[in-house]
DNA sequence: CAGAGGTCTCAGAGACCTCTCAGCAATCCG
DNA sequence: CGGATTGCTGAGAGGTCTCTGAGACCTCTG
């Protein structure tokens, strides 16, 4: 079976082969980081630096999804989108856009059910959106019936952005939600603060690992409050999320 | 079968041939020590002193993993990573970084599931991380089904950093954990204090072999406390870890 | 424009870890 | 048997890691 590099079973195409994703961004560092993160999901990834290369690569790779920067040196987002749909009408597209980009442009781009994230983004968010797109488009098969993320009595519904523990609803801020999602996708594994920063915070975040401690502290107050703790500190190594019994 | 120089069966590629590792560091002494330690694991190792040489060597050797200093004279870490992934998308990378390098944050480098250790490091830690990376990436086949490290009723889960004896959880500090890992990877074999010092303590540690005695003492209190002892002193030679009956 | 919620920095308190020192115990050897 | 050697462990200094509260800054909303 196809698996992620973390050992977890991967989201695959309906026939069980790896999902194919094309990353299009003219910043090579960003493209590299994105590529790495998506490969980590167990997907087959290729990168292109401009619209022309993107269209050529798409024709060859026939990707299930494209991660597309709307500001490319040679073509604008809508043109690339048109070109993509010409060769593959069903492809899912996740747009990357600057925060200050004119909002209604985006509105037009996402009309076809596609989605977008604004720069600077966190990798966890990009991966989550892409998974959402692919699932909704029926292009991906879930490894199991994984109705939501479940660790012990802690349950996360990603679509509804709802978290419950023992059936009790817990309200989380956006950052708290992302952090918990990352923890829940890696249960029983110690995650270092650097790993967490790289995944949950946006790539241009200059701050220290200290924020991680802070947000872990917030999560504990909401999730572990008065209950048997699920979030554990491993001094000198990082944090683990574990079901209560073991 | 491929074996380590210590006689233990080696972690191999899926086809049983030795894993191939490329070491990239511009400090020749450090590169030598690393190369030696990895060869000792039964792996095929090659060294390169800068980014250009590394990429050339990678193209030729096609390594399963690369140990990569992020501070190279000619290229930055992300650029080397990009070059590596161009020729080998699936290669695992373990980064070496200075502790005082723009604190804690290895911006994006660990995003793809890769890992890092900070200098000064212990060889045991480098080897352990590399093994972890390779296992998770599905690039390595374990010699046996070695679900975790097991010696008698003593069990270590390296991912969760958890140790149990007879099912009872034992809490260990980072150094205690490393020391025990080394012992458990070499059961029934007498390890000298010098060997332990070289493996478990970082290469720039100036202290005496006395710390080893101290930490063995700590471990005994936690692991052997009130039970049949597993850690034995071999006077004039070192220490052995053995299952109780043997 | 005021208020609310969210994010992050700062700084202090406290817990924990590592290692040195020193004295004692066990073992070895003449 | 007695001295020398080797190993064990308690006490404690110093440093590091972690947690938490207070507050500044920002954005969004009414």
């Amino acid at each position: 079976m196809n698996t992620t590099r973390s050992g977890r079973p991967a989201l695959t195409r309906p026939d069980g082969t790896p999902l194919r994703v094309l990353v299009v961004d003219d910043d090579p560092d960003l493209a590299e980081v994105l590529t790495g993160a998506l490969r980590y999901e167990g997907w087959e990834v290729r990168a292109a630096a401009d619209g022309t290369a993107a269209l050529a690569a798409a024709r060859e790779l026939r990707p299930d999804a494209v991660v597309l920067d709307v500001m490319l040196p040679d073509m604008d987002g809508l043109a690339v989108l048109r070109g993509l749909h010409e060769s593959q009408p069903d492809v899912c597209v996740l747009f990357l856009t600057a925060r200050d980009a004119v909002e209604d442009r985006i509105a037009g781009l996402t009309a076809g059910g596609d989605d977008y994230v604004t720069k600077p983004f966190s990798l966890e968010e990009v991966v989550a959106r892409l998974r959402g797109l692919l699932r909704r488009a029926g292009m991906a098969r879930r490894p199991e019936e994984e109705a939501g993320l479940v660790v012990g009595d802690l349950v996360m519904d990603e679509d509804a952005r709802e978290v419950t523990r023992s059936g009790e609803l817990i309200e989380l801020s956006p950052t708290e939600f992302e952090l918990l999602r990352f923890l829940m996708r890696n249960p029983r594994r110690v995650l270092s603060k650097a790993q967490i920063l790289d995944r949950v915070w946006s790539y241009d975040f200059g701050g220290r690992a200290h924020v991680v401690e802070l947000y872990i502290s917030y999560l504990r107050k909401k999730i572990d409050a008065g209950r048997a703790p699920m979030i554990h500190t491993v001094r000198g190594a990082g944090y683990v999320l574990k079901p209560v019994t073991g």
Side-chain angles (χ1 to χ4, degrees), chain A:
Chain A
M1 183 212 272
N2 184 38
T3 62
T4 66
R5 285 174 75 172
S6 70
R8 175 175 10 103
L11 197 67
T12 66
R13 318 181 80 212
D15 62 7
T17 57
L19 281 159
R20 293 194 294 257
V21 183
L22 176 65
V23 170
V24 189
D25 200 301
D26 58 320
D27 175 352
D29 286 351
L30 192 50
E32 174 59 27
V33 172
L34 275 170
T35 301
L38 302 182
R39 285 212 179 101
Y40 185 70
E41 290 298 309
W43 301 338
E44 195 180 322
V45 187
R46 209 161 130 183
D50 56 43
T52 315
L55 292 180
R59 244 172 269 276
E60 194 193 321
L61 177 68
R62 306 202 65 74
D64 302 291
V66 178
V67 177
L68 177 63
D69 187 353
V70 290
M71 292 288 284
L72 290 174
D74 59 339
M75 300 167 78
D76 92 333
L78 211 52
V80 180
L81 183 60
R82 200 159 45 234
L84 284 172
H85 279 161
E86 235 162 65
S87 63
Q88 269 182 284
D90 288 340
V91 73
C92 295
V93 180
L94 181 69
F95 296 99
L96 306 179
T97 162
R99 177 172 301 278
D100 52 352
V102 189
E103 287 291 338
D104 46 11
R105 286 293 297 276
I106 306 300
L109 293 176
T110 62
D114 294 328
D115 203 351
Y116 74 100
V117 294
T118 57
K119 294 184 179 182
F121 46 75
S122 76
L123 293 175
E124 218 20 49
E125 188 174 0
V126 169
V127 170
R129 299 255 180 174
L130 215 38
R131 287 167 60 93
L133 270 182
L134 289 162
R135 270 195 291 114
R136 257 174 272 132
M139 279 189 163
R141 194 180 64 177
R142 304 188 206 197
E144 291 140 45
E145 47 268 82
E146 182 199 333
L149 282 166
V150 179
V151 178
D153 60 349
L154 191 61
V155 179
M156 172 178 287
D157 177 334
E158 294 186 79
D159 288 337
R161 278 188 100 83
E162 249 180 30
V163 175
T164 57
R165 181 158 179 195
S166 313
E168 194 179 328
L169 189 64
I170 296 170
E171 308 236 328
L172 298 177
S173 79
T175 308
E176 291 162 358
F177 183 86
E178 292 276 300
L179 172 57
L180 182 59
R181 169 155 61 192
F182 185 45
L183 294 177
M184 290 185 75
R185 296 227 296 138
N186 295 278
R188 297 169 194 276
R189 159 166 303 138
V190 175
L191 301 167
S192 73
K193 290 176 203 170
Q195 275 176 311
I196 295 175
L197 265 185
D198 274 351
R199 270 285 178 158
V200 176
W201 270 262
S202 52
Y203 52 83
D204 72 340
F205 178 64
R208 296 287 183 73
H210 191 70
V211 246
V212 177
E213 298 168 18
L214 184 63
Y215 274 86
I216 286 284
S217 151
Y218 292 159
L219 271 190
R220 286 212 250 238
K221 272 185 230 168
K222 295 186 176 180
I223 285 167
D224 285 347
R227 308 176 179 94
M230 293 183 66
I231 302 174
H232 304 269
T233 303
V234 183
R235 199 157 228 276
Y239 300 94
V240 213
L241 181 74
K242 286 190 293 192
V244 176
T245 54

